[in-house]
C-alpha cells in the first residue's frame, strides 16, 4: 500500500463517524513494529495522551458542552487545545523517528497523516456551532484520537 493511500484511508475513516476503527486493509498492512513501539516510552506516551484526550472528547459529547455558546472560550477548552497541538507535534516526531530508523511502513505514513489531520479536526471543532455540528466535530476528533492510539497498539498480523 502506498504511503498516500495509507494516509488517505486513515483520514477517510477518521472523518467518518460510521467507522470507528481502521479498515481491515490498512490494519492488515500494519507493520510488525507497531506492537513493539507501544513499549517504547515516547510511543507509550502518545498512546496514553491520545486515550486521555479521547476520554475528554467523549465526555463533552454527553455534557452541556454541546449547547454551550462559550464552549471554545472555556479554560478547559484552551488546555485541551494545547494538548491536541502538542499531540500533533509528538505524532509528527514519531513519524520522523520511524523515518530516521529507515522504517518503510504504513505506520510511518499514518502517523504523519494523523499529525497533519489533528489541527484540522480541532479547527472544525472550534468553528462548529452548538448542537449537532459540535457533536459531529467531537465525534470526528474522537475517532481520530482512537486511531492515534490503535495504530501504535496494533499487534503484528500474519501475512
Amino acid at each position: 500500500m502506498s504511503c498516500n493511500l495509507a494516509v488517505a484511508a486513515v483520514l477517510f475513516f477518521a472523518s467518518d463517524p460510521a467507522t470507528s476503527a481502521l479498515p481491515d486493509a490498512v490494519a492488515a498492512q500494519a507493520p510488525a513494529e507497531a506492537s513493539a513501539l507501544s513499549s517504547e516510552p515516547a510511543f507509550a506516551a502518545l498512546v496514553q495522551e491520545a486515550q486521555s484526550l479521547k476520554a475528554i472528547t467523549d465526555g463533552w459529547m454527553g455534557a452541556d458542552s454541546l449547547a454551550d455558546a462559550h464552549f471554545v472560550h472555556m479554560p478547559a477548552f484552551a488546555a485541551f487545545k494545547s494538548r491536541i497541538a502538542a499531540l500533533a507535534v509528538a505524532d509528527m516526531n514519531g513519524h520522523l523517528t520511524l523515518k530516521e530508523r529507515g522504517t518503510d511502513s504504513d505506520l510511518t505514513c499514518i502517523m504523519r497523516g494523523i499529525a497533519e489531520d489533528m489541527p484540522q479536526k480541532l479547527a472544525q471543532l472550534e468553528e462548529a456551532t452548538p448542537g449537532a455540528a459540535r457533536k459531529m466535530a467531537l465525534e470526528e476528533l474522537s475517532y481520530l484520537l482512537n486511531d492515534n492510539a490503535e495504530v501504535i497498539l496494533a499487534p503484528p498480523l500474519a501475512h
Side-chain angles (χ1 to χ4, degrees), residues 1-155:
M1 181 179 289
S2 76
C3 188
N4 290 337
L5 183 57
V7 172
V10 169
L11 297 180
F12 171 77
F13 284 93
S15 67
D16 184 357
T19 58
S20 63
L22 292 173
D24 292 339
V26 173
Q29 295 290 328
E33 74 269 8
S35 63
L37 284 178
S38 65
S39 65
E40 293 182 26
F43 288 95
L46 283 173
V47 169
Q48 184 177 6
E49 184 66 352
Q51 290 172 336
S52 175
L53 290 166
K54 182 186 182 314
I56 293 168
T57 303
D58 292 348
W60 283 338
M61 280 189 269
D64 294 334
S65 304
L66 291 177
D68 186 349
H70 303 289
F71 172 74
V72 297
H73 304 293
M74 298 183 325
F77 186 79
F80 176 81
K81 184 176 174 178
S82 293
R83 288 176 65 187
I84 288 286
L87 180 60
V89 169
D91 281 323
M92 185 57 77
N93 288 337
H95 157 75
L96 294 172
T97 296
L98 293 174
K99 192 173 177 180
E100 287 172 6
R101 290 179 186 176
T103 304
D104 184 25
S105 69
D106 292 334
L107 180 59
T108 304
C109 299
I110 291 168
M111 291 198 65
R112 184 188 74 215
I114 289 172
E116 292 171 349
D117 201 32
M118 194 109 26
Q120 294 172 0
K121 295 297 180 193
L122 181 63
Q124 289 172 354
L125 176 57
E126 287 182 293
E127 295 167 6
T129 56
R134 183 172 295 150
K135 184 176 182 185
M136 176 69 83
L138 284 166
E139 287 173 348
E140 289 180 7
L141 185 55
S142 176
Y143 288 119
L144 184 62
L145 290 164
N146 186 64
D147 287 348
N148 197 165
E150 285 185 0
V151 297
I152 296 169
L153 294 172

